[in-house]
Amino acid sequence: MNYLLGLAPGYVDIAGSYRRSQLAANRSKATIDTSMWALSKLGRYLEKEGLPVDVNALKKQHIEGLMEGMLVGSGLSLSTAATAFRYLRAFFNWCVEEELIKRSPMVA
């Protein structure tokens, strides 16, 4: 599935790089699909709210806004939101390791 259709090209490029790194690490299809789903949720939230989709510009409050939106009125369960949180944390840790960002927006 291509969860990232219609999102900003730069965001899609970084998500694609992350996807390739997961493939290279021999992650399961389910893991990769869930990662892309979580990244699509973040990207769509950012675009809907008129927030920057550049990973360098993301702040903790952007992630908190996404999580609040997932938990309030979206019909998603707490478990689903927690899954998205874990996959986003892994993505931002990868961004730090790849020196795409200096610090994860998910760090307190």
Side-chain angles (χ1 to χ4, degrees):
M1 291 191 163
N2 194 344
Y3 293 104
L4 303 172
L5 281 175
L7 292 173
Y11 187 81
V12 171
D13 290 345
I14 290 174
S17 293
Y18 182 58
R19 182 180 179 281
R20 285 186 295 278
S21 78
Q22 289 189 315
L23 286 167
N26 202 29
R27 300 285 188 250
S28 73
K29 181 182 181 326
T31 295
I32 294 169
D33 284 349
T34 304
S35 295
M36 295 300 106
W37 169 82
L39 287 172
S40 76
K41 286 290 192 189
L42 176 60
R44 292 188 198 296
Y45 166 77
L46 295 170
E47 288 183 349
K48 179 179 150 235
E49 297 297 318
L51 297 168
V53 293
D54 178 359
V55 293
N56 284 297
L58 295 180
K59 307 279 185 233
K60 181 180 176 185
Q61 61 263 29
H62 298 137
I63 306 302
E64 290 171 343
L66 168 67
M67 299 312 296
E68 178 182 7
M70 291 179 89
L71 292 169
V72 178
S74 72
L76 295 176
S77 70
L78 178 59
S79 174
T80 300
T83 297
F85 185 89
R86 285 191 306 275
Y87 279 87
L88 290 172
R89 183 176 50 209
F91 167 72
F92 285 112
N93 288 342
W94 173 83
C95 287
V96 170
E97 290 169 12
E98 294 294 312
E99 299 180 353
L100 300 172
I101 59 176
K102 291 182 181 178
R103 185 168 188 231
S104 170
M106 300 189 77
V107 174

